[in-house]
Amino acid sequence: HTHRINIAIDGPAGAGKSTVARKVASALQYVYIDTGAMYRAVTLKVLDSGVPKDDDEAVGRLADGLDIVLLPGGDGQQVRVNGEDVTAKLRSLEINRSVSYVARLSRVRLRMAELQRNMAAGKGVVMDGRDIGTHVLPDAELKVFLTATPRERAKRRFLELEPGTEITLDQLEREIEERDRLDREREIAPLLQAADARLLDSTGMTVDEVAEEIVQWGLAAVRTISAEEK
Ligand code: CDP
Ligand code: CDP
């Protein structure tokens, strides 16, 4: 019987957090939790309902009424909101452009962090986001801050676009940098490398190389903890 730890992976948009976190979770047989998908799900409901995205009170009330469930599925994770599968709707440019405004609201953050801590209570979780190492799981046994240059991150995202999407690489890079700026500059739980997080710059690395590095760090952390308990 080996120990299970929690792994926090934070960083800016397009750094590879979700892709890599999913691989790490699968290699260790841990549960993967994409916290960005939860903020995207709230944003979808805000846009659908017409509630102004800067109204902390109204958006907070809406968020409190959402039952957000993450289920393992297919090549990722299925996101259900009040029983409805919204997975396919979460990665639109419209949500990209609004999510950081919704994610800076105090009541939304409070609610999401509470749900996320409950999901990680049993250990054996790989959670990716912006504030996991600093705020949601400050006691995570392994924290990684994953980055890459803005250009590289924009290129990765550009390759993922639906054919025919009307956006240039330069425009996409500007939008990514604007979202990162909003995430870094917000008051509550901003995007920030935790003091005890390892920095991993994935520029020029493949997904498998990044995942393997983190798996090795994870296994080393498990060994250290097992040795300390003896
Ligand atoms: O996949 P990508 O990096 O583009 O974004 P994401 O991880 O799906 O996160 C979308 C947005 O949700 C971020 O830009 C943040 O505004 C917000 N977010 C957050 O505030 N805190 C988290 N733990 C995760 C996401
Ligand atoms: O979650 P985050 O926004 O940090 O990134 P993502 O949604 O995982 O998207 C990263 C994209 O870059 C995916 O299409 C990956 O296949 C690709 N990629 C990567 O994640 N890591 C590398 N080292 C190279 C490419």
Side-chain angles (χ1 to χ4, degrees):
H1 172 83
T2 53
H3 275 274
R4 295 166 83 77
I5 61 168
N6 282 335
I7 301 178
I9 304 181
D10 292 299
K17 300 180 299 296
S18 334
T19 310
V20 164
R22 194 177 304 134
K23 288 216 166 216
V24 171
S26 139
L28 296 172
Q29 292 185 289
Y30 280 15
V31 175
Y32 164 54
I33 296 167
D34 176 357
T35 64
M38 299 171 71
Y39 288 95
R40 287 173 182 273
V42 177
T43 305
L44 174 73
K45 292 297 165 186
V46 170
L47 294 175
D48 282 356
S49 66
V51 168
K53 60 179 183 268
D54 56 357
D55 186 337
D56 198 356
E57 183 58 35
V59 175
R61 223 177 306 120
L62 188 143
D64 285 345
L66 298 179
D67 177 31
I68 301 177
V69 178
L70 304 179
L71 299 167
D75 54 4
Q77 182 170 249
Q78 198 192 89
V79 185
R80 288 183 164 260
V81 179
N82 296 344
E84 182 202 353
D85 180 2
V86 298
T87 319
K89 298 179 180 169
L90 297 182
R91 306 213 54 95
S92 67
L93 288 180
E94 199 192 4
I95 290 183
N96 286 354
R97 287 167 187 153
S98 296
V99 63
S100 293
Y101 294 94
V102 171
R104 71 180 178 192
L105 303 177
S106 61
R107 282 186 53 177
V108 172
R109 298 212 71 81
L110 206 63
R111 169 88 175 133
M112 293 306 115
E114 181 193 25
L115 291 174
Q116 291 154 12
R117 285 188 191 117
N118 287 339
M119 293 173 180
K123 296 278 180 190
V125 152
V126 183
M127 193 177 280
D128 89 295
R130 300 292 185 290
D131 63 337
I132 310 309
T134 51
H135 189 71
V136 176
L137 303 178
D139 298 329
E141 290 82 357
L142 172 62
K143 300 180 185 179
V144 179
F145 196 80
L146 188 61
T147 63
T149 61
R151 193 66 176 177
E152 171 122 355
R153 294 188 282 113
K155 280 184 185 164
R156 292 175 183 175
R157 274 302 152 78
F158 197 70
L159 291 173
E160 292 178 342
L161 292 175
E162 299 280 333
T165 309
E166 297 275 330
I167 191 165
T168 64
L169 177 61
D170 283 333
Q171 228 176 315
L172 191 65
E173 185 175 341
R174 280 196 297 274
E175 289 194 10
I176 283 179
E177 290 198 281
E178 171 63 5
R179 185 146 62 90
D180 290 345
R181 188 185 67 76
L182 290 167
D183 290 341
R184 284 198 175 96
E185 293 180 359
R186 72 171 169 238
E187 262 175 61
I188 309 161
L191 167 63
L192 183 76
Q193 182 179 347
D196 53 353
R198 288 172 176 248
L199 179 64
L200 181 48
D201 184 342
S202 71
T203 311
M205 290 174 81
T206 66
V207 170
D208 285 340
E209 286 168 344
V210 176
E212 183 54 25
E213 181 85 340
I214 297 174
V215 167
Q216 291 309 324
W217 288 344
L219 293 174
V222 169
R223 279 195 300 274
T224 304
I225 291 161
S226 307
E228 277 168 1
E229 297 228 329
K230 280 187 187 139

